[in-house]
Amino acid sequence: MSVHSESRRITVATLASMRREGEKIVSLTAYDAAFARLADAAGVDVILVGDSLGMVVQGRENTVGVTMDEMVYHTLLAARGRSRALLVADLPFLSCADPAQALANAGRLMQEGGADVVKLEGGAAQAEVVERLSVNGVPVCAHLGLRPQFVHKLGGYRVQGREAEAAKTLREDARALEEAGAELMVLECVPAALAEEITQASGIPVIGIGAGAACDGQVLVLHDVLGITPGRPPRFARNFMPGHDSLLAALQAYAAAVRDGSFPTAEEAF
């Protein structure tokens, strides 16, 4: 029996086992109980309460304005809806500037919000933070590549790691964060060949978004999957609603496409 067909709660150990067995990990954002319940019913392995809620729920231009209180609130809502999926919650902008602050805020996401794992953006400079969280029992998902919280520093949403030096830095960042104790890693908007190289070199599950099909799993924003994101959707996203008569059927189609390798295609990567 495959790991994802079992009824028991998904853990970081489950994801590690899926990686070893070559089973793709299906991840999706959700920000409330209703959609978390729907994602769970569709067989999603990981529900991410992302600070992307700032854009798709709150209507902001970026994620920078999302607060800790808002992340705790939406994590709590999603926790009430899920029954099986691993629940990952973002540490928002400036909430993990040092190890002590990160530990306090991660504690809020887990104790008040019900998160299983916290996700933070940043490269090797965040290794000390990751280590402090890890040694205190907080599972960490690292986030490399395009980091939306750095939008003002990056000057926009751009593919990361195209140049040789930038690719080298990403490899070093991935290694440093894994060595510091990260349990999972998200690679966003990274060239597919580089993402494949990092995934193969990694000892932890790597989940991609706009990073090609060779990652151990995929994550998308719920609103992109359902075709309700305002404006032009990202190149790496796909609307799964056409041809399906319910939200559940669309989410099931997304999960099936990740697992059978038909999502993402080469055209949905960089």
Side-chain angles (χ1 to χ4, degrees), residues 185-221:
M185 187 174 302
V186 168
L187 288 180
E188 180 169 359
C189 292
V190 172
L194 176 59
E196 181 174 8
E197 182 181 345
I198 291 172
T199 300
Q200 290 178 348
S202 175
I204 60 177
V206 177
I207 298 174
I209 176 167
C215 297
D216 298 309
Q218 300 293 325
V219 61
L220 282 180
V221 170

Side-chain angles (χ1 to χ4, degrees), residues 18-192:
M18 292 176 72
R19 171 184 162 90
R20 289 193 299 271
E21 296 298 321
E23 291 193 55
K24 291 294 186 180
I25 297 165
V26 181
S27 182
L28 184 69
T29 67
Y31 315 100
D32 61 27
F35 277 112
R37 188 174 297 112
L38 201 63
D40 228 328
V44 168
D45 303 306
V46 178
I47 292 173
L48 170 62
V49 185
D51 58 3
S52 51
L53 68 88
M55 301 171 75
V56 297
V57 176
Q58 298 175 335
R60 299 178 186 268
E61 290 186 0
N62 53 56
T63 66
V64 171
V66 178
T67 67
M68 266 306 305
D69 285 345
E70 289 167 342
M71 287 306 307
V72 170
Y73 173 73
H74 284 278
T75 302
L76 176 61
L77 298 186
R80 289 172 177 165
R82 68 86 187 246
S83 58
R84 174 185 161 277
L86 185 78
L87 188 64
V88 179
D90 271 344
L91 282 163
F93 183 65
L94 294 183
S95 67
C96 52
D98 62 66
Q101 182 194 36
L103 189 60
N105 286 325
R108 291 194 63 195
L109 288 175
M110 296 181 74
Q111 294 176 310
E112 298 176 39
D116 301 313
V117 178
V118 301
K119 182 168 76 66
L120 58 83
E121 298 182 15
Q126 288 286 55
E128 184 181 0
V129 169
V130 172
E131 183 176 10
R132 175 72 69 86
L133 294 176
S134 182
V135 299
N136 281 279
V138 178
V140 177
C141 177
H143 184 144
L144 291 174
L146 173 59
R147 293 168 287 168
Q149 292 173 16
F150 288 67
V151 61
H152 294 307
K153 192 172 179 64
L154 296 173
Y157 299 101
R158 300 171 180 173
V159 179
Q160 303 296 304
R162 287 196 190 277
E163 298 78 21
E165 190 60 33
K168 178 175 180 287
T169 298
L170 273 175
R171 294 187 201 99
E172 292 171 349
D173 286 343
R175 184 166 56 252
L177 293 170
E178 180 180 345
E179 290 175 353
E183 306 272 3
L184 308 170
M185 187 174 302
V186 168
L187 288 180
E188 180 169 359
C189 292
V190 172

